[in-house]
Amino acid sequence: MTEPSSPSSEEQGQGGGEAPLILPPRKHALMFRVRNYFLTGLVVAAPIGLTVYITRWFVDLVDTWFVPLIPAPYQPDHYLPFEIPGLGLIIAFVLLTVLGALTANIFGRAILGFAERLVDRMPVVRSIYGALKQIFETVISQSNTSFRDVGIIEYPRKGIYTLVFVTSTSKAQVGEQLDKDLISVFLPTTPNPTSGFLLYVPREDVTILDMTIEEGAKLIISAGLVEPPKKSLKDTGPIQNADT
């Protein structure tokens, strides 16, 4: 007794028999497209949403600080049917401008000096105040030259490289005492570039990259995922002394 022959692939496709064993993955392709569209939308919407959220949070925070300084009967909310966002920012700007104008004359400097002498008599407060004052004075006075360049050094050992921000190219006092030509660089941490280490590195050990400060910050924050366009290293030789 002969066994019935198995239907051929052509007969399966023509006559309503069994479906082919290999089918095009249409459902998987559709899910792959949906996934890509979702991730693309997330990439577009997340930065916008976070920016709006953080900006709104900052404005509301400043409003809660400065709007109460206006007496309740004179606040605009009592006269307008809607709130005015950012009113605290305007009040803060006016108050800080007035404060700066007052301390710019002799009378204001005398009052400020008297207040600072009182703070100097407080053991813990004077340390906090002195450190914060020095930081703000340094940042504001050198806002245009805080980070000069993006460089690369070997750290934490030979053969391993890391990005640094050059903070000063003039001969540092530390280098003068050690009789070495050192420059100060800031080594930021990932993904928070606001924390890091202050390093004094020999001038010849720092290689300057053809990269802006913003591009370097993006590279650090993204842990190397967002790289700037490929550029060649600056052919400028060693870092020049700012005093020369």
Side-chain angles (χ1 to χ4, degrees):
M1 210 178 152
T2 60
E3 296 181 356
S5 60
S6 59
S8 63
S9 60
E10 294 181 357
E11 293 176 352
Q12 290 178 357
Q14 294 177 358
E18 296 181 357
L21 296 178
I22 300 177
L23 294 175
R26 296 179 180 178
K27 293 184 179 180
H28 296 286
L30 178 60
M31 294 302 298
F32 182 76
R33 287 187 178 183
V34 172
R35 172 180 172 275
N36 286 345
Y37 292 156
F38 172 76
L39 294 178
T40 303
L42 182 63
V43 170
V44 173
I48 298 176
L50 290 176
T51 302
V52 173
Y53 175 79
I54 294 174
T55 304
R56 181 60 186 271
W57 170 82
F58 178 76
V59 171
D60 292 341
L61 179 63
V62 176
D63 286 347
T64 56
W65 287 350
F66 290 94
V67 171
L69 297 177
I70 302 177
Y74 300 101
Q75 291 186 6
D77 296 342
H78 293 277
Y79 304 97
L80 299 176
F82 55 87
E83 296 182 356
I84 302 178
L87 181 61
L89 291 176
I90 300 175
I91 299 174
F93 175 78
V94 173
L95 291 179
L96 292 176
T97 303
V98 173
L99 179 61
L102 292 177
T103 55
N105 54 46
I106 299 176
F107 180 73
R109 287 196 296 268
I111 297 178
L112 181 61
F114 176 75
E116 289 183 345
R117 286 192 296 271
L118 290 179
V119 173
D120 288 338
R121 298 179 180 180
M122 304 177 184
V124 178
V125 178
R126 67 184 179 185
S127 301
I128 299 175
Y129 173 76
L132 292 176
K133 180 181 179 182
Q134 186 175 6
I135 291 173
F136 275 93
E137 287 179 349
T138 303
V139 171
I140 293 177
S141 62
Q142 299 181 358
S143 59
N144 295 330
T145 59
S146 295
F147 290 151
R148 299 174 180 270
D149 294 294
V150 180
I152 190 170
I153 63 173
E154 288 186 287
Y155 182 89
R157 64 172 176 81
K158 292 289 185 180
I160 297 180
Y161 298 88
T162 185
L163 290 182
V164 294
F165 296 124
V166 179
T167 57
S168 176
T169 58
S170 60
K171 194 170 184 179
Q173 183 179 0
V174 177
E176 292 178 354
Q177 295 184 0
L178 296 176
D179 195 19
K180 294 182 179 180
D181 189 11
L182 304 178
I183 62 173
S184 59
V185 299
F186 177 70
L187 193 157
T189 57
T190 301
N192 180 17
T194 59
S195 63
F197 306 96
L198 171 63
L199 304 177
Y200 289 95
V201 185
R203 190 180 300 271
E204 63 273 9
D205 291 346
V206 181
T207 302
I208 300 301
L209 301 177
D210 191 6
M211 184 185 303
T212 63
I213 302 299
E214 292 76 11
E215 291 174 344
K218 291 178 181 178
L219 183 61
I220 293 170
I221 294 173
S222 65
L225 297 177
V226 180
E227 293 189 357
K230 291 184 179 180
K231 301 177 183 178
S232 59
L233 298 180
K234 287 184 177 179
D235 189 13
T236 57
I239 300 176
Q240 299 297 324
N241 196 317
D243 297 336
T244 58

